[in-house]
Amino acid sequence: MTSVQTYTMPGREETEQLTPAELRGSYLVEGLFEPGELRLAISDLDRLVIGGAMPTPSLRLPSLKELGGGPFLARRELGVINVGGPAVVRVDGHEYELGPMDALYAGAGTKDVEFLESRDGGEAALYLVSAPAHKSYPPALVSRAAMQASPLGDTQHASRRCIYKAIHPAGIPSCQLVMGFTELEEGSVWNTMPPHTHSRRTEIYLYLGLEDQMVVHLMGEPERTKSLIVRDREAVLSPSWSIHAGAGTSNYRFVWAMAGENQDFDDMDKVALEELE
């Protein structure tokens, strides 16, 4: 079973007038993961598509009118990070086994992508991000252990975390998609602080490992910030003009994905704390 939801982003001024419920409806993607279903959210932010697949026993990427018809990846690329138990993804007949937090890439022109349930009886849960692509790259798998890892932050500011890069120029090459995840150490709760904006690209966060806890996600223009209460396995869509940062009631991890004008991870417009209002 496949369900599709479309998100049309409000502008800066319109966002300022939104109620909390309207803000959630515009920027927060809930209910991505449901056993036996493939749930997709299509955004007009750089035409990014995100999704959650929990195959029982299998699910396929469909042809969608919203994406121009034909194979899902006819003119798109796909990043997959396994946020559940061990899983299998079949790309044009070739099977890839993904452990927890392993990542897989499939390039433009791929004809068939199938998600298979875990072979050890666990619950497979695969997070998908797809972006338009003008060039084809071969499929590739990278384990969590093989990802580029960069420690960041400090315990004094409750921000000790590690950034794991999966799909990026020095790792799995892609057309424009950049993807990985950040993991906070026990006792740390702040992510992406000090904050920044990306005037040249979109970023999306999927929060994980919260269980019954939550994150207060900060968004909006630096001088007109808004907040979202985010639960486990919920995603936040971040336009290029919006900051994206947050603090949780416990430590957690989040998958980040970007697409836009370039793939330079450090291309950001930093915002000083005193500028936030």
Side-chain angles (χ1 to χ4, degrees):
M1 178 179 176
T2 300
S3 63
V4 180
Q5 189 170 358
T6 300
Y7 287 76
T8 302
M9 293 293 102
R12 301 186 191 201
E13 296 301 323
E14 185 180 353
T15 296
E16 178 66 16
Q17 307 303 318
L18 296 180
T19 66
E22 291 169 337
L23 197 72
R24 292 178 66 84
S26 297
Y27 292 99
L28 187 68
V29 183
E30 304 172 274
L32 271 176
F33 296 91
E34 183 67 28
E37 295 187 22
L38 170 61
R39 295 191 170 185
L40 300 171
I42 300 174
S43 168
D44 62 357
L45 295 175
D46 287 299
R47 294 295 297 165
L48 287 176
V49 178
I50 66 172
M54 297 187 71
T56 54
S58 68
L59 295 164
R60 269 192 165 87
L61 277 183
S63 172
L64 294 178
K65 177 183 178 182
E66 295 90 340
L67 302 182
F72 190 98
L73 297 181
R75 295 166 297 278
R76 290 183 155 267
E77 58 188 352
L78 175 73
V80 179
I81 288 186
N82 179 20
V83 299
V88 177
V89 181
R90 187 179 291 144
V91 179
D92 284 344
H94 185 85
E95 291 189 356
Y96 297 86
E97 296 187 7
L98 281 72
M101 303 312 294
D102 290 352
L104 176 68
Y105 173 83
T110 299
K111 294 180 174 58
D112 183 57
V113 177
E114 185 177 10
F115 309 104
L116 308 176
E117 64 184 341
S118 175
R119 289 174 176 166
D120 68 354
E123 187 177 63
L126 297 151
Y127 176 56
L128 325 175
V129 182
S130 175
H134 59 268
K135 182 179 179 180
S136 181
Y137 287 89
L141 172 70
V142 60
S143 67
R144 172 194 172 117
M147 292 180 191
Q148 179 181 323
S150 303
L152 188 67
D154 56 65
T155 55
Q156 180 182 358
H157 296 94
S159 63
R160 186 66 180 168
R161 58 200 188 272
C162 189
I163 298 173
Y164 294 85
K165 298 178 183 177
I167 302 172
H168 64 116
I172 296 177
S174 68
C175 185
Q176 68 160 328
L177 184 64
V178 180
M179 192 173 181
F181 67 93
T182 298
E183 195 167 64
L184 277 72
E185 293 184 2
E186 186 174 351
S188 286
V189 297
W190 278 104
N191 78 70
T192 323
M193 185 58 69
H196 58 263
T197 60
H198 293 297
S199 61
R200 291 156 292 280
R201 59 190 176 187
T202 296
E203 185 159 16
I204 299 175
Y205 281 4
L206 174 77
Y207 285 96
L208 301 166
L210 286 166
E211 298 181 355
D212 59 349
Q213 299 298 301
M214 69 179 194
V215 167
V216 179
H217 179 92
L218 301 178
M219 60 158 294
E221 295 179 282
E223 68 278 9
R224 298 189 293 184
T225 57
K226 298 279 190 178
S227 64
L228 291 167
I229 301 299
V230 185
R231 310 289 181 181
D232 194 36
R233 292 186 176 182
E234 293 181 344
V236 181
L237 308 173
S238 297
S240 59
W241 48 266
S242 175
I243 65 167
H244 33 283
T249 54
S250 69
N251 63 319
Y252 52 91
R253 65 167 62 105
F254 60 96
V255 177
W256 44 264
M258 296 178 282
E261 294 295 333
N262 63 53
Q263 295 181 304
D264 180 3
F265 183 86
D266 294 320
D267 178 18
M268 58 188 72
D269 303 310
K270 296 182 179 180
V271 177
L273 291 182
E274 56 266 26
E275 296 179 53
L276 295 178
E277 295 182 6

